[in-house]
Amino acid sequence: RNRQGEGERESLARATATATAMASRPTTLWTECLGKDYVNKGRIGVLILNHDLPSCTERLWNQASTRVCADGGCSRIRALGIEDPPPDFVIGDLDSALEEDLSFFENAGAKIVDLSADQDTTDLDKCFRVLLEKTDLWRREGDVLAILGGFGGRWDREMSNLNVMLRHADLDSILVGDASLARVVRPGTNDIDLNFDLEGPGCALIPLCGPCRVTTTGLRWNLRDRKTVFGELVSTSNEAVERRVTVETDVPLVWTTDSNL
């Protein structure tokens, strides 16, 4: 058991080192992986949370190379008639997934990962951990995790989802909903390549991590070395006017756009 645990820690350390090395480069963010004509520029993982799912769920599920359900997310997709392909993993404390759905997907080949002993992290956080330990997602440039079911419902859970993404800011992930997309912009210079068929033009930069200084190009209302912080200036209801937006920041930000999926 100890050797197995050491192996998992070594695997996690290697995966984290790879992701961190990628994060040290100038960052280019793109959403082509969410389009209908995506042709595997990088790999896309899809993670299903236990809440209302966007209309693009089945298409993205079928396009994915890695498929994960967080706890009751497996019951959500089965309620939509999504059974094949099954998830690679169902992960969490398993208190909201229906037993019949767990059994169905386990028989179909899914690995059920019961992490109920850990009550200090959310199911989404647990999923990030297992993805790093057990899959090759994020091992090459262009890999993206699309998180579905993270918008709507309880506001504290939406904030929790964004908190997990900010904790893993070195790993490219996108919160996908019918109305909005959200992702983390890392410290440094970020080039955001927009496909207006998929997102925008409405956008915003949300300083959830506290005060930061931001410079942008490509927006209707650009920021030029401006301090942005809650209680003062926050760049909401902005608009992308160019297909490449650049964001330079000293602190991680949440970048949101209209979803056209």
Side-chain angles (χ1 to χ4, degrees):
R1 182 179 301 173
N2 290 338
R3 286 195 298 271
Q4 181 181 4
E6 290 173 2
E8 290 179 352
R9 285 192 293 272
E10 290 172 1
S11 177
L12 176 59
R14 286 194 299 271
T16 302
T18 300
T20 301
M22 289 181 180
S24 66
R25 308 170 187 168
T27 303
T28 300
L29 302 178
W30 54 287
T31 52
E32 292 296 330
C33 61
L34 303 181
K36 295 179 181 178
D37 299 323
Y38 173 63
V39 290
N40 201 32
K41 177 181 179 181
R43 289 166 296 190
I44 178 174
V46 169
L47 192 159
I48 305 293
L49 297 176
N50 185 22
H51 194 64
D52 295 342
L53 298 172
S55 57
C56 60
T57 296
E58 185 171 9
R59 176 175 61 78
L60 291 180
W61 185 260
N62 289 330
Q63 287 177 209
S65 59
T66 302
R67 303 173 181 87
V68 174
C69 292
D71 204 343
C74 70
S75 295
R76 292 279 179 174
I77 60 168
R78 198 168 179 219
L80 293 177
I82 301 172
E83 296 181 344
D84 185 29
D88 298 298
F89 298 93
V90 179
I91 304 162
D93 51 18
L94 306 184
D95 61 346
S96 57
L98 297 177
E99 188 61 40
E100 63 187 74
D101 296 326
L102 286 174
S103 296
F104 176 86
F105 283 125
E106 186 172 29
N107 290 333
K111 295 179 177 65
I112 311 300
V113 184
D114 183 350
L115 296 177
S116 55
D118 175 9
Q119 290 299 307
D120 294 327
T121 60
T122 66
D123 284 339
L124 180 56
D125 218 341
K126 294 176 175 68
C127 287
F128 269 79
R129 187 196 320 165
V130 172
L131 282 166
L132 279 169
E133 292 176 353
K134 304 291 188 182
T135 78
D136 60 358
L137 189 67
W138 296 307
R139 302 294 177 90
R140 69 179 186 184
E141 196 167 2
D143 288 2
V144 181
L145 178 66
I147 303 168
L148 283 59
F151 284 117
R154 286 175 47 177
W155 184 76
D156 62 325
R157 290 180 177 170
E158 289 187 337
M159 292 299 99
S160 175
N161 295 333
L162 291 169
N163 180 57
V164 172
M165 293 170 67
L166 285 162
R167 286 178 59 191
H168 296 280
D170 55 328
L171 306 174
D172 197 7
S173 60
I174 308 173
L175 205 59
V176 177
D178 279 327
S180 300
L181 306 176
R183 69 196 309 168
V184 174
V185 173
R186 303 167 187 157
T189 300
N190 299 264
D191 295 326
I192 303 173
D193 291 338
L194 297 171
N195 180 337
F196 290 128
D197 291 334
L198 303 177
E199 63 176 325
C203 61
L205 286 162
I206 312 299
L208 283 184
C209 292
C212 52
R213 300 205 70 86
V214 182
T215 297
T216 66
T217 65
L219 302 180
R220 184 169 298 280
W221 295 281
N222 280 309
L223 302 172
R224 294 177 176 83
D225 195 28
R226 291 292 303 274
K227 176 185 175 184
T228 177
V229 62
F230 279 103
E232 299 179 25
L233 174 68
V234 176
S235 181
T236 59
S237 301
N238 212 323
E239 182 179 340
V241 294
E242 298 179 13
R243 291 189 176 274
R244 169 162 282 192
V245 170
T246 63
V247 178
E248 184 176 351
T249 177
D250 60 344
V251 174
L253 286 165
V254 175
W255 162 259
T256 71
T257 53
D258 297 337
S259 174
N260 303 324
L261 298 177

